[in-house]
Amino acid sequence: MQWLHKDLLDVSQLSRSEVMSLFETARHFQEINERPVKKVPTLRGRSVVLFFAEPSTRTKTSFDVAGKRLSADTFSLAKSSSSLTKGETLKDTALTLQAMAPDAIVIRHWCSGAARFMADLLDCSIINAGDGRHAHPTQALLDGFTLYQEWGDLSGKTVLILGDVTHSRVARSNVILLNKMGARVRICAPRTLLPRTVKSWRAEVFHDLDEAVRDVDAVMCLRLQLERQKQGLLPDLREYASTYGLSARHLEKASRDVRVLHPGPMNRGVEIASDLADADCSLVLDQVANGVSMRMALLFQYMTRKGGEE
């Protein structure tokens, strides 16, 4: 497939066939990650800047590993080591990076819309690695790819997204992607952790976990993002864990082959029972492994695209 998109800002940009193309490309690259020597010359001579203005372990490392396995040169820039701490604007930081002629910039930023701002300003490809509460398209794509690996087809499957939806860019992107791939989406959270706009989302909303989990094929747990909460939205963590923490007991009501996902980092005993995180039905580590393959696919598609604009 000829890839015409310059930037990846959210999964809403992608057609179903483009998502399937990314799944197949990721599946192709998966084999490279299983070789004794995990490196191919596909992107030799290309360069990608990893500009992470928010902390990240999985996403940043995953992109770094993905780039290096395709022989791209990767350069990391964190907020703490950038001139943002000296008062430089995002625009000047962006123009400075472009002057060094990278082929792509992977950006994570606390401000919703930061990736769009960079994409409109710069000529190189911008890949959104999470902007504020807006979107996290690469996480949604790797989650979808992980379920695709399990099921082959997401059509007709029911997926429950559980937890702190208000502060989750992962939830927003996953609702869009799962609907695009034909899955039915449920959301379960306390009322204080649901955004005001949730009624307009293509998802069935629940507040009772026992009811929400009934007959679902997969549960995606979300991290409780206490650092983004400016006021107390929960009585206490113990009550939250008791009411909304996923346990093996809940899964007795789900489909027999139910799968459990979590984008990480996990708060064991809060969002998910510790034994469930390590159970056979857990795909948490598969998500991490598939994240490298999916980001290899994304870097390949966006850094080798020919002509065309969105």
Side-chain angles (χ1 to χ4, degrees):
M1 170 181 287
Q2 186 178 10
W3 201 258
L4 301 178
H5 299 291
K6 168 181 167 287
D7 311 294
L8 176 62
L9 305 180
D10 199 1
V11 289
S12 57
Q13 297 172 277
L14 305 176
S15 67
R16 180 187 171 103
S17 62
E18 288 170 334
V19 173
M20 285 304 302
S21 175
L22 286 170
F23 284 0
E24 288 304 313
T25 306
R27 191 171 63 83
H28 171 75
F29 283 133
Q30 208 165 27
E31 180 268 332
I32 297 169
N33 295 322
E34 297 167 358
R35 296 180 185 178
V37 178
K38 303 172 182 61
K39 193 156 189 159
V40 293
T42 308
L43 294 181
R44 186 164 53 197
R46 310 292 180 95
S47 58
V48 54
V49 174
L50 309 177
F51 177 26
F52 278 67
E54 278 190 332
S56 170
T57 299
R58 289 160 187 74
T59 306
K60 183 178 179 182
T61 305
S62 183
F63 267 111
D64 200 11
V65 170
K68 286 182 167 62
R69 288 189 177 166
L70 295 176
S71 297
D73 297 315
T74 63
F75 305 91
S76 296
L77 177 65
K79 178 188 176 186
S80 59
S81 58
S82 76
S83 291
L84 290 174
T85 61
K86 301 176 182 177
E88 185 175 67
T89 65
L90 179 59
K91 176 180 179 180
D92 285 332
T93 300
L95 293 174
T96 299
L97 292 176
Q98 178 169 266
M100 299 178 194
D103 296 287
I105 296 176
V106 178
I107 178 174
R108 169 169 289 191
H109 200 279
W110 66 85
C111 182
S112 299
R116 164 66 69 181
F117 178 80
M118 295 270 285
D120 290 343
L121 188 66
L122 305 185
D123 297 327
C124 68
S125 291
I126 301 297
I127 297 177
N128 185 3
D131 62 331
R133 299 179 186 181
H134 171 235
H136 197 342
T138 69
Q139 181 69 46
L141 285 164
L142 78 87
D143 289 343
F145 178 57
T146 300
L147 292 175
Y148 174 71
Q149 291 281 95
E150 289 290 310
W151 298 333
D153 186 359
L154 276 62
S155 297
K157 298 291 186 180
T158 303
V159 180
L160 169 64
I161 299 176
L162 170 65
D164 185 357
V165 178
T166 291
H167 303 95
S168 176
R169 52 201 176 204
V170 173
R172 286 168 169 76
S173 291
N174 261 314
V175 168
I176 296 170
L177 182 88
L178 290 168
N179 274 297
K180 195 182 294 283
M181 303 312 291
R184 293 186 291 266
V185 183
R186 296 179 183 176
I187 287 174
C188 183
R191 296 181 190 279
T192 52
L193 293 181
L194 285 174
R196 293 178 181 176
T197 58
V198 73
K199 290 182 180 178
S200 65
W201 295 17
R202 291 180 63 191
E204 195 176 2
V205 179
F206 295 80
H207 304 293
D208 183 330
L209 178 53
D210 287 314
E211 183 181 347
V213 79
R214 193 174 300 280
D215 298 326
V216 298
D217 298 292
V219 182
M220 290 184 175
C221 299
L222 300 174
R223 185 173 69 85
L224 193 57
Q225 301 190 37
L226 296 175
E227 76 279 10
R228 294 182 187 272
Q229 298 182 16
K230 295 181 179 178
Q231 57 183 0
L233 298 178
L234 298 169
D236 58 56
L237 288 182
R238 180 177 297 181
E239 182 175 333
Y240 178 84
S242 173
T243 309
Y244 291 100
L246 188 70
S247 68
R249 177 185 69 79
H250 295 111
L251 296 189
E252 293 174 1
K253 301 179 178 64
S255 296
R256 187 176 62 179
D257 297 323
V258 65
R259 294 292 182 263
V260 176
L261 300 91
H262 193 303
M266 290 186 290
N267 293 309
R268 290 173 181 256
V270 178
E271 301 126 10
I272 183 170
S274 186
D275 58 343
L276 187 55
D278 301 322
D280 291 342
C281 64
S282 171
L283 299 178
V284 172
L285 294 180
D286 298 81
Q287 290 173 270
V288 177
N290 287 332
V292 174
S293 304
M294 176 52 68
R295 283 155 181 146
M296 290 170 75
L298 289 166
L299 291 176
F300 170 75
Q301 292 286 27
Y302 282 85
M303 294 173 71
T304 61
R305 69 186 181 90
K306 294 179 180 177
E309 295 289 339
E310 292 176 72

